[in-house]
């Protein structure tokens, strides 16, 4: 989902996957910690970058 839309929000991911928002936040935090995804810009108007 992030690769398809770099501005996707965690709430939209939660709605599309039917997972809890807490789970989405935990997974994305872990991906950031591992350097797989990065957040560019601020939380409101920023975007996700996927390291390939």
């Amino acid at each position: 989902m992030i690769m398809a839309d770099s501005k996707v929000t965690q709430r939209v991911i939660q709605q599309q996957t039917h997972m809890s928002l807490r789970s989405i936040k935990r997974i994305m935090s872990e991906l950031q910690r591992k350097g797989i995804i990065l957040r560019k810009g601020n939380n409101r108007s920023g975007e996700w970058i996927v390291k390939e």
Side-chain angles (χ1 to χ4, degrees):
M1 293 179 89
I2 295 171
M3 292 175 82
D5 179 8
S6 64
K7 295 187 183 274
V8 69
T9 64
Q10 291 178 341
R11 175 114 16 226
V12 170
I13 293 172
Q14 181 260 329
Q15 291 169 347
Q16 294 292 318
T17 62
H18 304 289
M19 295 174 68
S20 71
L21 185 58
R22 180 67 195 122
S23 292
I24 299 299
K25 289 179 181 287
R26 185 179 66 247
I27 291 166
M28 292 184 80
S29 176
E30 182 68 14
L31 292 173
Q32 285 179 297
R33 187 185 68 74
K34 291 181 177 180
I36 296 171
I37 61 174
L38 301 172
R39 183 73 179 173
K40 180 180 176 186
N42 63 36
N43 289 340
R44 275 222 181 275
S45 62
E47 62 183 329
W48 294 103
I49 298 171
V50 179
K51 295 281 193 159
E52 294 186 37

